[in-house]
Amino acid sequence: MSNLSFPRPRQSEVGERLRAEVREFLDDFDFRGDPHTASVFGGFDPEFSEALGARGWIGMGFPQRYGGGGYGLVERYVVLEELLAARAPITAHSVADRQSGQLLLRFGNERQREEILPRIAAGKSYFCIGMSEPDSGSDLASVRTRATKVDGGWLVSGAKIWTTNAHRSHYMILLCRTSPATQERHAGLSQFLVDMKTPGIVCKPIVNIAGVHDFNEVHLQNAFLPDEALIGVEGEGWKQVTSELAFERSGPERFLSHLGLLEEFVHVLKRQPSAEGAKALGRLVAHLATLRRMSRSVATMISDGQDAALHAALVKDLGTCFEQEIPEILRLALQTEPDPNASDAYRAALAHVVLNAPSSTIRGGTKEVLRSIVAKGLGLR
Amino acid sequence: MDDETREMLHQTAASIFAEGPSDLWEVLKSVGFDKALVPESKGGVGVSWAVACELLAIAGKHAAAVPMAEAMIGHWLVDLAGVEEIELPTLGFSSLSEPVRLTRTGDEWHVGGALVRVPWGSACTHIVFISEGPEAQLIVVARDASGVSITPGHNLAGEPRDDIAFEGVVPHAVVPAPFESNSLQAVAAITRSALMAGAIERALTLTVDYANMRVQFGRPIGKFQAVQQNIAVLATQAAAARAATEAGSEAIDDWIAGENESLMHSVAVASAKIRTGEAAGEAAAIAHQVFGAIGFTEEHELQRFTKRLWSWRDEYGNEAFWAEVLGQRVLADESGKTLWRTLTPAGSALELGATR
Ligand SMILES: Cc1cc2nc3c(=O)[nH]c(=O)nc-3n(C[C@H](O)[C@H](O)[C@H](O)COP(=O)(O)OP(=O)(O)OC[C@H]3O[C@@H](n4cnc5c(N)ncnc54)[C@H](O)[C@@H]3O)c2cc1C
């Protein structure tokens, strides 16, 4: 059986200095004003992204020659958790910062890196992830969108779905087939860097149950991608995608999305003390403290080059179940009706979280699929 | 302590417990595990709380019927009291209805009152406890002193948890307590977290092995997705228990090195007992589910672990007790900071659960 111990998270003096700086920077804003930022990653705000980029807090791990700060993962983690905890509006650049930039850095060609990484780091280049398709959700290896080789490039046809922010991103990292499916299901997949302005790409909005348009359907009809749009090696897309997912799964996004609601809950309890409320708060803080320790530990493992796939899956499952539990525990601890339009910040935040909670255990891999990964890691199969 | 020594201690503990000699406790004492927390200069091993708790997790993994946690804390306290030559000290806490009273006539101290559910109370040679009140004292009483009476009790796993009454007992030693009784409760709670983390890990191992071996419908039950899912959840609980316990034990070391604020105020300590206690209940339920009827038999070894889990989660404060302590502690912060910044002080120790 594999070892389930999580190494002690690494402490970083540089990170702690950054924490203080980020707090000072954030003190100039009040994100509490808008209840809709009380959950998820607090809104899409290019101006804020550029301000962060100017401070050097995006693409922190990129080498300096690509506009990065040359920081380690641990320092990046500190900055990210401070931004999330403050409900800062980081949605515009967060996918680029967390995944796509890392992917280009590891597998991209020199031209892609030189052209795009500095713009990501400046907070000016936004990405979406074109993995899921109508028939390929959990079973991602079954994607059918196809790129056919033509002179000087590729012609892509197919449909992607659930593509968050496709309508306001500059680029998509597309996963598609470059050769027909064979017995080896993971072979023949490749990744492309797709400029969203490419002719033949059509984006159709999908409104979610919270009434918000974040994700989309993206149709690609004979869209021409030049040769240099290929990321990494043709046919190795699966390997690249799985390494990308390790970054996606274990971060503080997986348990801090609803911290804003907890903050509002604390405000209410300070005005209206109750033993039951204190107990609910204490329990949630215990989970939060433990998750944070585990998540920082995974960041330490990844930065040490260790394989953290199993650990990341454990953290994502625990973290997203925790996020989902928050509104359930709070609604019983403090009787009040959620209302998205309430002027009361707690009730509005509660409404927002109740409506968004179902997605946490679906996006980035469902809890069932993550548990299959854990079961496999335990030697069951 | 360097990593090599730490690793060596682990291996020694793991092999002793795995072998399970008939005189297990004697063997453990011969390598000094009962005095693990006593400085080397005074005949102990001088490990940190973090390391001591790792050793306790190994004991928990083996459901060892030995007073290892009690002796570790007991000897640590006895050493703080400046007393020597004690065979097996255990620790006690006052009964709420009859708190321990300490009176003094001339040079002589007398103890009255009662301690409840003292672990291994009937097996120990001495009981160590801290009196309540503004001038708390650290008190050592010999179990066979006159005026001591013991009513035996047990937890679900059959471990002794005895009530002890004192009437005009002359204590073996009395010194001003280095900290309050509730800090001692926090320390004791962490030893239970450590034992639980180990027992949960063992329940997981037993469960995985069984699921790979037990065949129904023509294949091992571990091949069924529903069973895999349950076991994966058990694994997440095992991992969380371990991570929470490690943070909690490190918080004791920080507290000892730091100032005097009660250890009860440590976010990491409360989190450890809450999170591990919760994991214990979930882990035990899943393990029994996977084992089916066979796991429900007395003869099966699973119950040695699950009964301890069900007991330990209620000892020294259950999840609800600690959740309220922690919630009130967070709400008492009047700095006007956000919850996040209260929990994560900038620039100080990185732990979310830093004591201060
Ligand atoms: C808010 C949100 C944002 C998203 N953003 C993006 C994005 O930007 N880009 C992108 O590519 N995708 C995105 N997704 C899609 C997401 O990755 C998929 O929804 C997810 O992988 C699940 O796929 P599905 O929805 O097709 O469900 P399905 O795969 O159809 O699964 C339905 C149910 O069956 C279960 N199930 C399926 N297979 C198994 C199995 N083998 N064992 C056990 N249970 C199984 C699942 O766990 C689930 O409960 C987003 C999703 C959400 C909700």
Side-chain angles (χ1 to χ4, degrees):
Chain A
M1 196 181 78
S2 42
N3 185 1
L4 289 183
S5 85
F6 283 67
R8 190 189 282 215
R10 182 136 19 37
Q11 321 243 344
S12 151
E13 257 179 56
V14 176
E16 285 314 290
R17 267 207 310 279
L18 281 166
R19 187 188 303 285
E21 284 175 36
V22 173
R23 284 186 181 179
E24 209 175 297
F25 171 77
L26 289 171
D27 284 341
D28 291 341
F29 301 85
D30 180 15
F31 306 117
R32 262 191 81 206
D34 177 4
H36 294 286
T37 65
S39 175
V40 207
F41 316 131
F44 193 103
D45 183 345
E47 219 173 286
F48 184 81
S49 291
E50 286 177 33
L52 273 188
R55 304 293 296 244
W57 294 334
I58 305 177
M60 290 174 62
F62 303 169
Q64 270 149 352
R65 68 178 185 283
Y66 300 129
Y71 290 104
L73 259 179
V74 175
E75 287 77 32
R76 178 186 171 273
Y77 190 102
V78 170
V79 172
L80 179 60
E81 70 175 356
E82 286 302 322
L83 293 169
L84 289 167
R87 295 178 246 180
I90 61 172
T91 298
H93 67 268
S94 63
V95 165
D97 182 39
R98 175 181 73 200
Q99 288 175 246
S100 316
Q102 298 292 337
L103 183 81
L104 291 177
L105 194 59
R106 287 185 64 182
F107 301 109
N109 58 46
E110 195 50 37
R111 190 161 151 198
Q112 289 167 340
R113 291 188 201 147
E114 278 177 1
E115 213 175 279
I116 294 171
L117 295 181
R119 292 190 58 79
I120 292 180
K124 294 179 180 171
S125 197
Y126 312 139
F127 276 69
C128 61
I129 302 164
M131 292 188 190
S132 306
E133 296 184 8
D135 297 320
S136 305
S138 302
D139 183 14
L140 191 57
S142 70
V143 296
R144 289 200 302 220
T145 295
R146 190 160 162 68
T148 314
K149 188 74 191 89
V150 293
D151 215 21
W154 305 77
L155 278 183
V156 186
S157 288
K160 292 285 164 184
I161 196 169
W162 316 128
T163 323
T164 304
N165 290 327
H167 58 305
R168 43 194 181 186
S169 293
H170 304 104
Y171 295 98
M172 172 195 273
I173 302 282
L174 171 79
L175 178 71
C176 65
R177 294 223 145 265
T178 40
S179 52
T182 57
Q183 284 297 83
E184 217 315 41
R185 305 180 65 244
H186 296 152
L189 296 169
S190 303
Q191 282 182 304
F192 290 90
L193 173 69
V194 179
D195 186 330
M196 291 301 279
K197 291 192 300 289
T198 307
I201 296 182
V202 179
C203 212
K204 294 187 184 160
I206 306 176
V207 175
N208 68 24
I209 62 167
V212 175
H213 168 211
D214 273 336
F215 52 35
N216 303 270
E217 242 178 274
V218 180
H219 294 269
L220 302 109
Q221 286 146 352
N222 277 324
F224 176 79
L225 306 180
D227 277 330
E228 59 267 24
L230 180 72
I231 301 172
V233 179
E234 189 210 322
E236 303 249 306
W238 185 257
K239 214 175 69 197
Q240 297 173 196
V241 160
T242 46
S243 86
E244 191 183 332
L245 287 173
F247 281 107
E248 180 177 351
R249 284 184 173 149
S250 65
E253 300 93 325
R254 299 304 173 193
F255 58 95
L256 287 182
S257 326
H258 300 164
L259 184 72
L261 176 60
L262 273 186
E263 296 280 5
E264 298 301 342
F265 183 62
V266 169
H267 281 290
V268 177
L269 282 185
K270 285 195 172 178
R271 290 195 308 264
Q272 285 168 235
S274 90
E276 206 179 331
K279 214 177 274 178
L281 176 64
R283 171 165 184 266
L284 291 169
V285 166
H287 278 253
L288 178 63
T290 306
L291 279 163
R292 179 172 182 253
R293 168 128 179 152
M294 297 173 89
S295 167
R296 288 170 55 230
S297 173
V298 174
T300 305
M301 286 177 79
I302 296 179
S303 77
D304 287 349
Q306 292 173 41
D307 176 12
L310 174 64
H311 290 71
L314 286 163
V315 174
K316 195 208 174 233
D317 184 25
L318 281 172
T320 56
C321 288
F322 163 72
E323 288 193 333
Q324 218 157 56
E325 238 187 353
I326 292 175
E328 292 307 308
I329 291 174
L330 295 192
R331 55 179 274 277
L332 300 182
L334 186 73
Q335 289 208 40
T336 174
E337 293 176 35
D339 179 348
N341 301 315
S343 55
D344 174 80
Y346 174 73
R347 288 171 57 202
L350 181 63
H352 191 60
V353 168
V354 167
L355 292 175
N356 278 287
S359 78
S360 68
T361 53
I362 298 171
R363 62 185 145 100
T366 67
K367 67 180 177 196
E368 288 80 11
V369 166
L370 290 165
R371 287 173 189 176
S372 296
I373 295 173
V374 172
K376 196 172 173 185
L378 293 170
L380 296 162
R381 270 276 154 122
Chain B
M1 167 165 309
D2 58 48
D3 286 349
E4 219 170 285
T5 321
R6 189 169 181 162
E7 190 50 36
M8 196 201 71
L9 280 172
H10 278 185
Q11 302 216 330
T12 308
S15 65
I16 294 175
F17 282 114
E19 218 168 276
S22 55
D23 57 346
L24 176 62
W25 183 235
E26 293 307 316
V27 177
L28 290 171
K29 280 198 295 187
S30 73
V31 291
F33 282 171
D34 57 337
K35 293 184 186 160
L37 288 156
V38 174
E40 275 179 285
S41 58
K42 296 186 185 154
V45 190
V47 305
S48 65
W49 272 96
V51 172
C53 286
E54 285 164 7
L55 298 176
L56 286 175
I58 296 171
K61 232 181 227 180
H62 293 273
V66 288
M68 184 135 129
E70 294 69 26
M72 276 182 177
I73 305 179
H75 278 297
W76 175 64
L77 291 173
V78 160
D79 175 61
L80 291 178
V83 180
E84 280 169 38
E85 303 297 326
I86 279 189
E87 176 70 24
L88 177 57
T90 188
L91 75 163
F93 290 91
S94 263
S95 131
L96 281 180
S97 55
E98 263 183 285
V100 174
R101 299 174 310 275
L102 199 58
T103 47
R104 188 171 184 161
T105 34
D107 260 359
E108 207 170 56
W109 291 97
H110 289 281
V111 188
L115 303 175
V116 281
R117 297 195 65 80
V118 178
W120 304 87
S122 43
C124 70
T125 61
H126 292 76
I127 307 121
V128 196
F129 52 98
I130 293 176
S131 65
E132 306 282 341
E135 279 169 51
Q137 307 286 329
L138 177 62
I139 304 159
V140 184
V141 170
R143 191 200 55 178
D144 59 7
S146 115
V148 175
S149 58
I150 300 189
T151 311
H154 292 93
N155 66 12
L156 298 171
E159 296 177 320
R161 297 291 184 264
D162 308 314
D163 291 343
I164 300 185
F166 300 126
E167 219 183 293
V169 175
V170 177
H172 184 81
V174 174
V175 298
F179 41 78
E180 288 176 4
S181 172
N182 63 13
S183 288
L184 183 57
Q185 179 177 349
V187 166
I190 290 299
T191 65
R192 292 304 182 259
S193 293
L195 289 165
M196 283 194 277
I200 294 170
E201 258 183 63
R202 184 57 172 276
L204 173 63
T205 313
L206 290 173
T207 304
V208 169
D209 292 348
Y210 185 71
N212 276 329
M213 183 202 85
R214 169 73 174 168
V215 174
Q216 289 291 285
F217 302 100
R219 46 186 181 147
I221 57 171
K223 292 226 183 273
F224 293 107
Q225 253 190 27
V227 176
Q228 292 187 349
Q229 294 274 314
N230 277 337
I231 298 176
V233 173
L234 169 46
T236 64
Q237 298 302 312
R242 181 160 177 164
T245 298
E246 285 172 1
S249 62
E250 288 161 20
I252 304 182
D253 289 317
D254 290 347
W255 170 72
I256 288 172
E259 56 205 61
N260 285 333
E261 190 183 344
S262 169
L263 192 55
M264 273 243 165
H265 294 154
S266 157
V267 175
V269 166
S271 296
K273 190 62 172 37
I274 296 166
R275 191 62 192 85
T276 311
E278 205 176 296
E282 276 201 49
I286 293 172
H288 276 290
Q289 189 64 29
V290 173
F291 272 93
I294 189 75
F296 194 60
T297 60
E298 173 153 58
E299 179 177 351
H300 198 278
E301 66 171 328
L302 180 62
Q303 52 96 6
R304 292 176 52 226
F305 301 92
T306 54
K307 281 181 180 167
R308 282 177 167 79
L309 289 173
W310 289 323
S311 297
W312 292 336
R313 64 183 177 166
D314 286 328
E315 293 179 1
Y316 306 121
N318 66 12
E319 300 93 278
F321 169 88
W322 283 102
E324 193 173 343
V325 168
L326 179 52
Q328 300 291 12
R329 139 93 170 81
V330 170
L331 292 169
D333 185 279
E334 290 189 346
S335 61
K337 283 190 277 189
T338 59
L339 169 65
W340 177 255
R341 293 192 189 182
T342 304
L343 295 174
T344 318
S348 71
L350 263 179
E351 306 310 316
L352 182 65
T355 348
R356 289 167 292 280

